[in-house]
Amino acid sequence: MQDLKVVIIGAGIGGLTAGIALQQAGYEVEIYDRVKELRPAGAGISLWSNGVKVLNRLGLGEEMAKIGGQMERMEYRTKTGELLNNIDLMPLIEQVGQRPYPVARRDLQQMLLAAFKGEVKLDRKCIAVEEDENKVTAIFENGDKAQGDLLVAADGVRSILRTYVLGYEVEPKYGGYINWNGLVPAATELAPKNTWAIYVGDCKRASLMPVAGDRFYFFLDVPLSKGTPANPDNYKTELKEHFKGWAEPVQLLIDKLDPATVARPEIHDVGPIDSFVRGRVALLGDSAHATCPDLGQGGCQAMEDGLVLSNYLLSTNLGVEYALKRYETERKQRANAVVEKARQRAEQIHGKDPVVTEKWYAQLADEKPTDVTDAIAKVISAGPLH
């Protein structure tokens, strides 16, 4: 189909990637977001090869390489620093045909904003949708409206438009842990600068991975009750207590972090849900399939959504609703499987059943590095760009 106008609600990774893909398909695209100022949600993201391949397809491969960290190895250690497994990532890169890139979210957001040709309209909270036979209209809280041939609902884990598509409300499900994350200057006393270093123990995890600008993206996971009070003034004290007795690099990381710039989300996911599409409205990204970050696939799945959506719109002449149903069929199977796998992984890592977590620690010490990379490659290769 040609000459379509697309309204996108949400200017996160998924909304911006979809906007770029749809513009490149020749469509008129408008993007709206409810916030008054675009700020990335969290400090960093591990963008695995399937997400990078989408950016390559959109002509952004060179830009991505400039802002991505050069991650050559993964290293699992016990909480006190003993090496469990040292994993060379080159077999993975050769198997799937693309290097993964850990990246600062702000850098990724700025790259995507620069690639989208047009203004992202802010302070527009979409509260309702109206459809007729030919058009769909987004209605904003301030009374404004935006009309198009289709609407992409990329409005996040607590999506308002998901309720319109499903006909009922879905409450995001707590993943069982809190994740402190941020950026610190890279230093060899923390980890080798080409390595994703992961410390595990007591159903907790401490992790550092390289991003551009000679920095590490870090995260510290602790299984805690939902609603545990949060105060940045107490972050260091709390983390020192949670990670008491852990290896010296973990202690140094806590010393070096700036609490004012640390994000502390309670991890939630959404789904699997039954429908991604209703009429001329399509859910995309976290609104359809927010995932626990334990596979590093949340942003990648949103990027895949945008590419697949643009492909079906461009390659069929049987109408918008037909193309959206084709999108739904493909993406439900792929993304819902990732949601389920990521939750299983989150439960394994964070002690939903402590016996299972202890078995995982033992497995880390025994499994071959290529078993790890083969498992990652299996997830990557199930995407639209094999």
Side-chain angles (χ1 to χ4, degrees), residues 312-328:
Y312 278 123
L313 289 167
L314 197 57
S315 63
T316 181
N317 289 318
L318 298 183
V320 168
E321 293 188 29
Y322 173 85
L324 294 188
K325 280 298 182 184
R326 293 289 299 274
Y327 158 80
E328 177 184 56

Side-chain angles (χ1 to χ4, degrees), residues 298-367:
C300 296
Q301 292 307 302
M303 289 176 169
E304 288 184 5
D305 285 350
L307 183 67
V308 170
L309 176 62
S310 66
N311 284 347
Y312 278 123
L313 289 167
L314 197 57
S315 63
T316 181
N317 289 318
L318 298 183
V320 168
E321 293 188 29
Y322 173 85
L324 294 188
K325 280 298 182 184
R326 293 289 299 274
Y327 158 80
E328 177 184 56
T329 299
E330 179 171 333
R331 294 310 298 162
K332 267 180 61 179
Q333 181 178 5
R334 164 66 163 161
N336 281 351
V338 171
V339 169
E340 290 182 316
K341 189 174 182 66
R343 173 163 279 275
Q344 291 166 4
R345 182 75 167 169
E347 292 172 350
Q348 177 189 53
I349 291 171
H350 298 104
K352 182 179 182 181
D353 182 342
V355 174
V356 171
T357 303
E358 287 297 328
K359 286 181 179 178
W360 178 58
Y361 296 157
Q363 176 188 330
L364 286 173
D366 293 336
E367 68 184 340

Side-chain angles (χ1 to χ4, degrees), residues 124-161:
R124 301 289 199 285
K125 182 179 180 180
C126 183
I127 57 171
V129 173
E130 292 178 350
E131 290 189 71
D132 60 29
E133 291 182 3
N134 300 309
K135 298 290 182 183
V136 58
T137 303
I139 302 169
F140 298 99
E141 192 172 50
N142 66 359
D144 289 353
K145 296 182 179 182
Q147 188 177 78
D149 296 290
L150 66 146
L151 184 146
V152 176
D155 55 337
V157 61
R158 300 194 178 276
S159 168
I160 294 171
L161 299 179

Side-chain angles (χ1 to χ4, degrees), residues 45-46 48 74 76 105 173-179 196 198 200 203-207 209 217 219-223 266-269 290-299 338-351 360 372 375-376 379:
I45 182 172
S46 52
W48 286 98
M74 291 172 61
Y76 278 101
R105 281 183 179 266
K173 184 178 179 182
Y174 183 45
Y177 69 97
I178 290 171
N179 171 281
W196 178 12
I198 309 153
V200 295
C203 307
K204 304 169 190 175
R205 180 170 54 165
S207 173
M209 55 178 63
Y217 161 52
F219 57 85
L220 298 148
D221 295 345
V222 181
E266 296 180 332
I267 298 301
H268 288 76
D269 64 9
T291 71
C292 294
D294 300 83
L295 291 181
Q297 279 292 326
V338 171
V339 169
E340 290 182 316
K341 189 174 182 66
R343 173 163 279 275
Q344 291 166 4
R345 182 75 167 169
E347 292 172 350
Q348 177 189 53
I349 291 171
H350 298 104
W360 178 58
V372 177
I376 296 170
V379 175

